[in-house]
Amino acid sequence: MPKSHRVVGPARKSLDEEPLTWPPNPEELRRKAMERLHQSTPHNFEALSPDEISRLLHELHVHQIELEIQNEELRDAQNALEASRARYFDLYDLAPVGYCTLNDRNMVLEANLTTTQLLGIPRSELIQRPFPRFILLEDHPQFYVHRQRLFESGSRQVFEVRMFRGDQSTFWARLEGTRRQDGSSQVFRLVISDITEQRDIEDKLRESEHRYRIIVETANEGIWVWNADERITFANETLQKMLGYPSEELLGKYIGDLILADEWQDHLASRQLRRRGRSESYERRFLHRDGHPVWTRVSATPMFDAEGIFIGSFAMVSDITSLKQAENELLQAMQRTEAANQVKNEFVANMSHEIQTPLNGIIGMMQILMTTDLDEQQRKYVTNAVVSANRLGRLLVDILDLSRIETGKVELQQKRFNPVELGRSVCEIFASTARTKGITLGCRLDPTLPAWIVGDEARLVQILFNLLGNAVKFTAKGHVELEAHLLPSTDKGDLRILFSISDTGIGIPDEKLERLLEAFTQAEESYTRFYQGAGLGLTIVRRLVALMQGNISIESVPGKGTTFHVALPFTAAAISSEEQEVAVAVNGKADSGRDFLNTSRTLTVLVAEDEPLNQLSLRKILEPAGHQIVVAENGQQVLSLLSTQDVDAVLMDLQMPVMDGLEAIREIRRLERERYLRLRDPQATLRHIPIIAVTAHTLNVDRKTVLDAGADDFLVKPIEPLCLLALLHDLDDPQAGSHAKDNTPHAESLDKT
């Protein structure tokens, strides 16, 4: 067999020995392949055996397949490379920022599409053009300084310049430069970002911050900020002046060093509230640099970081030192005014008593004179004198009432009374006057009114008396009517009654309605006065209605009449069935009066009065009614007389020399309790002498003081004879419902002994 030969190909040349272009030329590639095949084919090819030729063909076939596989892999790699290059160029061209490359002479070598869009020119006009041509001349130094730094240090440079667009408009650009070696030369790569919008925002932010700082620094209020450790981190100029500290001393100062010792606990409480996220306003004194306190009003707000951690407080501070001084001066002035009002009230009360005491004597003497034989003219003179004296007495009472109401010293008394009986009684008082004037006086009371209500009966009488009296006075013909209706209950459950007093009198013009309820104001203001009065009645009514939480309104037509509406709240009183029967009987009667002149027995009455005329007046009232009189001129004489003789009742004037009436009443009740306790007999009863206080004072505070002292009832000078006799009748009658019907001691009084 012929000797086999191994086909060995020559070693491939390197790319440096035989460089190839890409992509390779097919003809050149075929030529090189034929050369290598020729080199690898033995010269004695004809001497090969068929097996060797077969093996050689097989090997060539395998190499052919290998080459085909390599070609496929090469094509895949080439396609992937082309795709990668395409993606790269897409990313490069369509990047959100501009990319460009400059040579050492600042000429543009490369630029992506974004750069051309930023500059507003096509790529062909940008390549090989100087880059500084697109930068504003004023910003060239900025560009060259950073370029020099880049080539000297090689470190990345970031700076901002203004650049031109193709349309000559400008924009702010941030340039980020890096250096790279490209063969034997260096290139300058730039990243270009349009920051125009960002610069606008920054400019607006700086402008806003500038305005804010101006506002803060020039604000009339002090503004400061302190951190979580309560160290001051900011204080405007106003606050610095307010506390007397320069900025360098105030910043970093512990805020607790400015707090007064007696306000430290308040400061701690406020700090805890802010740490819990609550804003608050408060008044606080801070120490001035020179040591004096500065009154301030503080509005503090907590500050938290993004994670909700407390980092400090922001506060606005107003200097209210002058306001506090003004408040203090006002308070002192109010105290002085109150003291002056107190002196005025005491003067008015004393003058009222001093005037009413002789006035009571005058009226008493006139009433006594009317019981004597007088001719018609003399009786007319005496009657006119009594009317004038009574008018003067009512004026004094009105002045005293108004003075006390203005100072807020009137307290409402809550007692049970029958509104129907009260309304009829008020109407009966004016019935005679109405008949004399020839006018009709009507009284329409709602049958659904409760039998008993709780409220201030005396004040209600005063309101109705003034309104009904005015209606009768200002009505020359026609009628006057008092109506009372039950109103729906309020949310609080209070019972409300509407009282309406209407007349057909002179009426009131619209322009005078607003001022009518003011003190010393009348609808008739001319010098020719047809109606008497000081103009105090309606003022007192308005203030009493307000004090009782009610409302008052007026309807009037000049020449046709006036209607006053008064709505007042009361409380319904629980009553027994027996009381209900009595109330029904009373409400159904036209006249519920009593014959007070026919006494059940003769009473011995101790009259404590230091004024001789009043003594005589009371004697002339009581003795004709069958009563006996014992006179004492002061409280000490009253106690002496009571220790030696028995009396059935005491008329006690409150203002007397030596010992006044209040002190005498208290001493009488104390002696009664002592005698009762000394007996120690459970079957014994306390000897309780009925005492009627007599005074010129007409307000609740005086009534309460007198009743608390132990008086059974209360009369105001000048004394009406029938009122006095009726009161004595009730005190002596065990069925009359007075204090005198029960001779056992008051539980409250015994508890105090």
Side-chain angles (χ1 to χ4, degrees), residues 107-377:
M107 304 298 290
V108 179
L109 301 178
E110 294 178 349
N112 68 346
L113 183 60
T114 303
T115 301
T116 65
Q117 292 173 345
L118 287 174
L119 298 178
I121 58 176
R123 201 185 323 242
S124 60
E125 297 181 14
L126 179 61
I127 302 301
Q128 296 302 321
R129 294 186 66 179
F131 186 78
R133 181 177 296 179
F134 302 101
I135 299 176
L136 257 66
L137 186 61
E138 293 88 341
D139 291 348
H140 277 198
Q142 177 88 337
F143 173 79
Y144 285 108
V145 166
H146 285 279
R147 181 182 181 282
Q148 184 67 26
R149 289 177 184 173
L150 178 63
F151 283 105
E152 289 178 354
S153 64
S155 61
R156 176 172 169 268
Q157 298 293 308
V158 180
F159 54 97
E160 296 176 359
V161 293
R162 287 166 295 175
M163 299 187 68
F164 282 115
R165 290 191 175 95
D167 59 2
Q168 298 302 306
S169 63
T170 61
F171 67 96
W172 273 99
R174 176 182 289 110
L175 304 182
E176 301 181 27
T178 56
R179 187 186 65 178
R180 179 184 175 187
Q181 190 71 27
D182 188 6
S184 60
S185 62
Q186 292 183 338
V187 295
F188 187 16
R189 293 192 181 277
L190 288 178
V191 178
I192 308 171
S193 302
D194 186 351
I195 60 169
T196 305
E197 184 176 354
Q198 180 181 339
R199 285 294 295 247
D200 289 343
I201 294 174
E202 291 176 355
D203 290 342
K204 291 178 181 178
L205 182 61
R206 280 191 294 269
E207 183 180 354
S208 176
E209 182 180 356
H210 179 67
R211 287 198 302 266
Y212 163 76
R213 185 166 294 277
I214 291 176
I215 293 172
V216 168
E217 291 295 343
T218 59
N220 293 328
E221 291 184 303
I223 299 175
W224 59 358
V225 179
W226 59 90
N227 60 21
D229 297 329
E230 297 198 321
R231 297 285 176 179
I232 300 171
T233 59
F234 173 81
N236 69 345
E237 186 175 350
T238 303
L239 187 67
Q240 296 170 26
K241 292 179 180 179
M242 189 184 301
L243 300 180
Y245 285 92
S247 177
E248 58 272 14
E249 289 188 29
L250 200 57
L251 295 182
K253 192 175 186 64
Y254 177 50
I255 197 171
D257 295 338
L258 304 174
I259 304 294
L260 272 68
D262 56 351
E263 296 190 5
W264 183 249
Q265 293 300 323
D266 293 338
H267 171 70
L268 293 179
S270 298
R271 182 175 65 183
Q272 291 301 319
L273 287 176
R274 284 193 301 277
R275 288 182 180 274
R276 292 197 293 268
R278 290 182 56 183
S279 301
E280 60 171 339
S281 297
Y282 51 87
E283 292 183 358
R284 181 134 316 145
R285 290 176 297 167
F286 292 104
L287 281 173
H288 193 273
R289 191 169 184 266
D290 62 12
H292 75 270
V294 178
W295 268 105
T296 66
R297 180 179 290 111
V298 182
S299 297
T301 302
M303 299 187 302
F304 298 88
D305 62 13
E307 298 179 357
I309 299 175
F310 176 76
I311 59 174
S313 299
F314 169 88
M316 301 184 68
V317 186
S318 302
D319 187 347
I320 59 171
T321 303
S322 57
L323 179 61
K324 283 293 183 179
Q325 292 174 348
E327 287 180 358
N328 186 49
E329 293 174 359
L330 179 60
L331 179 61
Q332 293 177 359
M334 290 176 61
Q335 291 173 345
R336 290 193 296 269
T337 302
E338 186 175 352
N341 283 335
Q342 180 66 26
V343 172
K344 181 198 73 173
N345 290 337
E346 292 177 358
F347 172 78
V348 172
N350 291 331
M351 288 303 298
S352 175
H353 182 272
E354 293 300 325
I355 295 174
Q356 285 192 5
T357 297
L359 183 61
N360 188 39
I362 294 172
I363 294 175
M365 291 299 100
M366 291 295 178
Q367 291 171 340
I368 294 171
L369 184 59
M370 291 179 68
T371 62
T372 63
D373 294 332
L374 300 174
D375 59 31
E376 189 64 29
Q377 187 174 11

Side-chain angles (χ1 to χ4, degrees), residues 356 397 693-698 703 714-720:
Q356 285 192 5
V397 171
V694 180
T695 181
H697 295 191
T698 62
R703 177 184 292 274
F714 187 89
L715 284 179
V716 178
K717 294 180 180 180
I719 297 175
E720 291 289 340

